[in-house]
Each structure stands twice: as structure tokens, then as C-alpha cells.
Amino acid sequence: MITLGLNRDAADKECRRLAAEVDRYRTDAKAAHEEVKRLEKEIEKLKKVKYRWDTRARCWWPVEGTNIYDMVQKVPYVPLITPKQEGTK
């Protein structure tokens, strides 16, 4: 009788552990799914912006868009090295 009680307690502990693990994986999967959706929306927004090469600034610059703050956030920072700066190094 004692061994049956011990086995039942061990099985109960294992079931609780597995249930907690399943809940953790479900929470992680839901968070990952939401992050994927957010990134897909960001990709779609970036695909709508068209860029052109600015030879004077030597970088890509958005062609469309009237809000300068949105444009600045989408354009990566590219350091500009002028010929004078290259010669002084």
C-alpha cells in the first residue's frame, strides 16, 4: 500500500511539472507569434518606402514621404567621410 501511495505521489508531481512546462511553452509560443506579427508589419512598412542613391551624400535616401521624422527613423546612419578627412588620417 505504501509503495502505491509513493508511486501515485511521484506521478502526481510529474504531471504537475509537465503541466507547468506545457503552460510555459504555450506562453513562449504566444509571445513569439506576436513578435513575428509585429516584425512582419514592420517589414511591410519598410517595403513601401522607395530609396534612391544620393551621390553627394553617398547614401540611400527615401524618395517618398513627407514626415522627416519617419524618414530619419527608416534610414540607417551612414558616416560620411569627405576626401579631406580621408587624407588627414
Side-chain angles (χ1 to χ4, degrees), residues 15 21 24 27 30 32 43 67 72 76-77:
C15 286
E21 191 172 336
R24 184 174 52 89
T27 304
K30 185 178 179 182
I43 288 169
N67 188 347
V72 167
Y77 171 74

Side-chain angles (χ1 to χ4, degrees), residues 33-64:
H33 184 69
E34 289 173 0
E35 181 67 14
V36 166
K37 280 185 173 182
R38 186 189 67 77
L39 290 173
E40 286 174 345
K41 286 180 184 178
E42 185 68 25
I43 288 169
E44 289 303 314
K45 282 180 16 183
L46 290 174
K47 282 183 178 179
K48 291 179 183 177
V49 176
K50 295 183 181 182
Y51 294 91
R52 66 174 172 80
W53 180 256
D54 188 354
T55 53
R56 288 178 287 147
R58 289 191 231 160
C59 64
W60 290 97
W61 194 254
V63 176
E64 299 173 353

Side-chain angles (χ1 to χ4, degrees), residues 60-89:
W60 290 97
W61 194 254
V63 176
E64 299 173 353
T66 56
N67 188 347
I68 189 69
Y69 298 107
D70 287 343
M71 289 179 9
V72 167
Q73 289 177 356
K74 292 176 184 172
V75 176
Y77 171 74
V78 179
L80 177 65
I81 300 174
T82 62
K84 290 181 190 176
Q85 291 173 341
E86 288 176 357
T88 59
K89 289 185 178 179

